[in-house]
Amino acid sequence: MAQAETVRSSLAESLASETAGDSIEYLSRGKLIRRRFWRHRLARLGLPVLVALYLMAIFADFIAPYPAHTRLKGFKDAPPSVIHFGMDGNPFQPYIYARERSFHPKTFREIYTEEEDEKYPIHFFVRGEPYWIMGLFKLDLHLFGVDEDTNITLFGTDSVSRDLFSRTVIAARVSLFVGLGGVAISFVLGCLIGGVSGYFGGIIDEVIQRIIDLLIAIPTLPLFMALSAAIPREWPVAHTYFAITMVLSIVGWTGLARVVRGKLLSLRDLDFVVASRLAGGSDLYIIWRHLLPNFASHLIVTMTLAIPGMILGETALSFIGLGMQEPGISWGVLLEDTKNFGALVHQPWKLIPALFIIVTILMFNFVGDGLRDAADPYSL
């Protein structure tokens, strides 16, 4: 007993001497998670980029100089506009030259040459085609534009003379939010079905697990193709978008359901669960109120890393013609023009939407890695 008291007193003196003059900061679990997340350099890069991409998607009509389906007369397969600086004595004034279209004498392909004697300044916050912001406010203000005598095409144009920059920005709404919608549905299905399977066990667990085995055994791409082919082509864009989201969610919940089942099998017999059951808590209440929050951080990480898969799934379906269709647009729809390798050699700017997909996937993976490290703030 005396020895134990001696040890405690020596530890107290050691702690007092080490912390003399220093303040001890006590952090909650939430603060520890946030601090560890911000220490992840790639996560610090990924989160602002993703926020910028989603803001771009929300305010796409303001950022885009033209509506998605506007055809620019005389600008078929035009290359990106070259931005110059220094006009009328202002070194910061951007401008473009007028472009003249001609045809190659041998291949008869369009050739665009700049007319350096005709300069057109790029104006900011200009009036243009009216649009609706989130269906609430009608505006006609656009971020930038040029005089009506010419057109500005930052990413070039497609085979029917539509501005690829405007279409890429507007297409982000479908490509980015279909991932969020698909993951949200998969999250609910995975938590609910996996929770029921792991909590009740027995024959219910056996039936659910065999259904999951069957879904996992089916090749993903043929299943997506079969389900997408069942979507009527005459449906409006909104209905098609919802149907694609459902298709992506049908098989997206299986992996999460397996994880939730395994976690609940290890938690369902713990004391706090038994106490809640004896207090009269319903099974659904115990699953959602007590069990799922115990590994909520893991679920958040799983959701974050699942969004890129949903985006790639929609892109693949739209690229092969089974996803979004005109007049609806997504990044996958824009990449349909790249199927023709011969045309792609002469118009490489049509691959620009693929860069947005790559950046989005990378940023989600960076954020997911940061969340995975921050999910357990007490680990080394």
Side-chain angles (χ1 to χ4, degrees):
M1 189 69 178
Q3 185 178 3
E5 290 292 338
T6 303
V7 172
R8 280 197 293 268
S9 62
S10 63
L11 288 175
E13 290 175 1
S14 177
L15 181 61
S17 62
E18 291 178 1
T19 59
D22 297 331
S23 60
I24 300 176
E25 184 180 5
Y26 296 95
L27 300 177
S28 64
R29 180 182 175 86
K31 290 183 179 180
L32 287 173
I33 290 175
R34 289 194 295 270
R35 174 172 292 187
R36 185 151 187 174
F37 176 82
W38 286 112
R39 286 179 179 173
H40 196 288
R41 295 181 179 179
L42 293 179
R44 291 205 309 266
L45 169 66
L47 187 59
V49 173
L50 286 179
V51 171
L53 286 171
Y54 277 94
L55 288 176
M56 178 193 73
I58 294 173
F59 300 101
D61 293 304
F62 165 72
I63 297 174
Y66 308 105
H69 302 288
T70 296
R71 298 188 178 186
L72 309 179
K73 186 177 180 180
F75 280 80
K76 176 186 176 183
D77 290 328
S81 300
V82 179
I83 308 298
H84 304 272
F85 289 89
M87 184 176 180
D88 299 331
N90 184 357
F92 302 105
Q93 173 62 54
Y95 68 92
I96 60 174
Y97 289 117
R99 288 182 289 178
E100 181 181 356
R101 185 177 69 163
S102 59
F103 294 90
H104 193 279
K106 294 183 178 180
T107 63
F108 297 101
R109 295 185 180 276
E110 292 90 347
I111 301 175
Y112 293 86
T113 56
E114 292 185 333
E115 299 292 328
E116 297 188 1
D117 56 342
E118 295 185 47
K119 298 180 179 180
Y120 292 92
I122 300 175
H123 304 290
F124 293 95
F125 303 106
V126 298
R127 301 292 177 181
E129 292 289 333
Y131 56 88
W132 290 87
I133 291 289
M134 295 182 289
L136 300 175
F137 308 101
K138 188 175 183 179
L139 302 174
D140 62 354
L141 190 67
H142 294 264
L143 180 60
F144 65 93
V146 294
D147 296 335
E148 295 182 356
D149 295 336
T150 188
N151 296 291
I152 180 171
T153 57
L154 295 183
F155 293 171
T157 61
D158 61 11
S159 57
V160 290
S161 306
R162 296 173 298 194
D163 178 37
L164 193 57
F165 174 79
S166 300
R167 289 173 62 79
T168 301
V169 172
I170 295 173
R173 289 188 293 206
V174 170
S175 295
L176 291 177
F177 286 100
V178 74
L180 292 182
V183 167
I185 297 174
S186 297
F187 176 76
V188 174
L189 290 175
C191 289
L192 182 60
I193 298 176
V196 170
S197 177
Y199 183 78
F200 291 102
I203 187 63
I204 297 178
D205 180 37
E206 191 68 22
V207 171
I208 292 177
Q209 294 310 306
R210 298 295 75 76
I211 293 175
I212 292 177
D213 289 338
L214 177 62
L215 290 175
I216 293 177
I218 300 175
T220 304
L221 186 57
L223 177 61
F224 280 169
M225 294 174 63
L227 294 174
S228 298
I231 300 174
R233 299 293 96 181
E234 65 274 8
W235 275 14
V237 175
H239 293 178
T240 303
Y241 171 82
F242 180 75
I244 293 297
T245 303
M246 294 299 298
V247 167
L248 295 174
S249 303
I250 285 178
V251 295
W253 60 270
T254 54
L256 180 61
R258 282 278 172 87
V259 173
V260 172
R261 171 185 177 268
K263 293 289 185 179
L264 262 63
L265 284 174
S266 62
L267 295 174
R268 65 181 183 179
D269 294 326
L270 295 182
D271 293 342
F272 71 94
V273 178
V274 176
S276 179
R277 190 181 299 118
L278 294 175
S282 64
D283 295 327
L284 187 61
Y285 173 83
I286 293 174
I287 292 174
W288 285 97
R289 181 65 180 84
H290 295 294
L291 296 178
L292 292 181
N294 273 275
F295 52 97
S297 58
H298 180 83
L299 295 178
I300 294 173
V301 173
T302 302
M303 288 178 59
T304 304
L305 295 176
I307 293 175
M310 294 288 182
I311 295 175
L312 289 176
E314 184 278 327
T315 301
L317 289 175
S318 299
F319 179 75
I320 63 179
L322 295 175
M324 296 295 297
Q325 303 257 339
E326 294 283 359
I329 56 172
S330 67
W331 288 337
V333 173
L334 298 183
L335 289 176
E336 281 191 89
D337 287 343
T338 63
K339 293 179 181 178
N340 187 341
F341 181 76
L344 187 60
V345 172
H346 299 282
Q347 295 107 29
W349 55 85
K350 294 182 179 180
L351 274 175
I352 291 178
L355 298 180
F356 281 80
I357 298 173
I358 294 172
V359 169
T360 302
I361 301 305
L362 284 177
M363 295 305 108
F364 268 114
N365 287 333
F366 291 164
V367 172
D369 288 341
L371 289 174
R372 182 160 44 198
D373 292 345
D376 187 5
Y378 303 106
S379 64
L380 297 177

